Amino acid sequence: MNKSIYSLLIILFSFVSVNAQNSHCENLDFSNGDFKNWTGYTWVNSTISQVQSTDPVLSYDMQTIMTDQSAYDSNTGNKLKVIPDGFEYSARLGDLINNTSVATLRYSLLIDSSNALIIYKFAVVFLDPTNNHEVWEEPRFKITLYDENDEEIEDCSNYDVYATEASLSGSFETYQLSNQSDPVVWRDWTTVGADLSAYIGRTITIEFLAADCTHLKHYGYAYFVATCQPPELTVKYCSQDSIAGFLMHTDGFENMNGLLQMVVSQAMKGKWKLKIHNQVSNILVK
């Protein structure tokens, strides 16, 4: 590949049609307005004597379809939209009640060339315990990929965070509610891509989990939505494009450097398809 074009690709990747629904992952984005093809579980995880832990049961009691595109989360000072831009729905996992509950949503799909790129967006809200909690007793949010044997796939798109880690992270913001002594820590909508090209022909499950603290005092919940598409990216550019312009079109990916390295590497190996569109007719690409 010509060195200048290679550099141009690194600078000017732009993701398009990220929220287009693929028939091979029906309702992954909750476009039906329900939990079709999703499996929900809830249970109690307690470390206090007055509340007994329970085993997971099939349930949608703590999973909610969000439908109001103009709504904001009040626990963030009305700064967090409950549905990200470009989507009609999202799911809230967990609730706004101080409890000891855990909730999950799982989606399984057979990976093929039309759905090998899974893109998901998530936002997280924790009431942060500031004392008397071990880390593993705190509110938690987790995203995990599993293979057909329900074995965890080690992938950088997996995510696992407890409230203390969130409070120390520059990715989270803090908000103080007037009726709480402990602060809220929250993360705005973040986009992550999982390249599952290596799993074509196999069934993969993605699981989202949200948990309260185990002391009955602090909630943890999250919003999310996901889509799938072929491992195909479209490059659009024109003469006045710049790095700043590129950064405005990265769709909030958590780790753009890593993502771009993956894309370029996969494209050069022939595993990903690149479409190059010149948006200015007088530019010649060689």
Side-chain angles (χ1 to χ4, degrees):
M1 181 181 291
N2 180 284
K3 183 177 180 180
S4 62
I5 298 300
Y6 180 86
S7 299
L8 185 65
L9 292 179
I10 291 180
I11 295 175
L12 299 174
F13 272 114
S14 175
F15 294 87
V16 297
S17 301
V18 167
N19 60 340
Q21 182 59 41
N22 187 303
S23 61
H24 291 257
C25 51
E26 182 188 359
N27 204 40
L28 185 60
D29 61 355
F30 307 107
S31 55
N32 288 359
D34 57 27
F35 290 115
K36 180 180 180 181
N37 295 334
W38 288 89
T39 303
Y41 292 91
T42 60
W43 65 96
V44 172
N45 181 33
S46 171
T47 55
I48 56 176
S49 59
Q50 59 265 42
V51 179
Q52 296 299 311
S53 296
T54 64
D55 293 327
V57 294
L58 186 66
S59 171
Y60 298 90
D61 290 344
M62 294 185 61
Q63 298 88 346
T64 307
I65 297 293
M66 311 306 292
T67 60
D68 186 350
Q69 297 175 44
S70 64
Y72 286 78
D73 187 297
S74 60
N75 287 332
T76 67
N78 293 312
K79 293 181 179 179
L80 173 64
K81 294 188 68 174
V82 302
I83 301 174
D85 292 338
F87 290 85
E88 295 184 36
Y89 303 95
S90 72
R92 187 184 68 206
L93 192 57
D95 57 28
L96 287 64
I97 300 173
N98 300 346
N99 216 320
T100 58
S101 300
V102 184
T104 63
L105 278 168
R106 295 168 62 98
Y107 189 105
S108 299
L109 69 165
L110 178 64
I111 302 300
D112 59 32
S113 60
S114 73
N115 64 11
L117 177 60
I118 305 296
I119 297 174
Y120 47 89
K121 294 174 174 284
F122 68 89
V124 186
V125 182
F126 292 144
L127 183 60
D128 181 23
T130 54
N131 54 58
N132 300 323
H133 287 65
E134 299 293 337
V135 171
W136 55 271
E137 296 176 318
E138 297 175 348
R140 182 186 191 186
F141 176 65
K142 185 180 182 184
I143 306 170
T144 313
L145 291 167
Y146 295 97
D147 64 17
E148 59 271 80
N149 298 314
D150 214 29
E151 296 288 339
E152 181 175 341
I153 297 172
E154 294 187 7
D155 191 273
C156 62
S157 59
N158 291 340
Y159 182 66
D160 191 2
V161 63
Y162 289 90
T164 290
E165 298 167 323
S167 66
L168 298 174
S169 169
S171 301
F172 281 75
E173 299 184 45
T174 301
Y175 180 72
Q176 186 64 57
L177 293 165
S178 60
N179 62 346
Q180 296 284 350
S181 59
D182 289 325
V184 169
V185 290
W186 63 280
R187 180 168 187 157
D188 208 346
W189 286 99
T190 303
T191 307
V192 177
D195 174 21
L196 299 177
S197 300
Y199 294 88
I200 288 178
R202 298 172 62 179
T203 297
I204 300 302
T205 298
I206 183 169
E207 179 186 74
F208 297 82
L209 176 150
D212 299 326
C213 85
T214 64
H215 289 199
L216 199 64
K217 294 182 179 180
H218 302 87
Y219 51 72
Y221 60 93
Y223 304 95
F224 73 92
V225 66
T227 62
C228 74
Q229 64 183 61
E232 174 181 296
L233 299 177
T234 298
V235 179
K236 293 184 177 182
Y237 66 92
C238 55
S239 58
Q240 65 267 31
D241 278 338
S242 63
I243 292 177
F246 160 70
L247 291 174
M248 293 175 62
H249 294 86
T250 55
D251 199 31
F253 271 84
E254 170 65 7
N255 186 343
M256 283 307 303
N257 288 333
L259 181 66
L260 290 173
Q261 290 173 9
M262 175 187 73
V263 170
V264 172
S265 173
Q266 295 293 71
M268 294 181 72
K269 293 176 183 178
K271 294 183 178 181
W272 284 47
K273 184 183 296 183
L274 294 179
K275 292 182 178 180
I276 301 177
H277 296 284
N278 183 350
Q279 293 181 300
V280 177
S281 60
N282 62 356
I283 293 180
L284 178 64
V285 178
K286 295 183 180 180

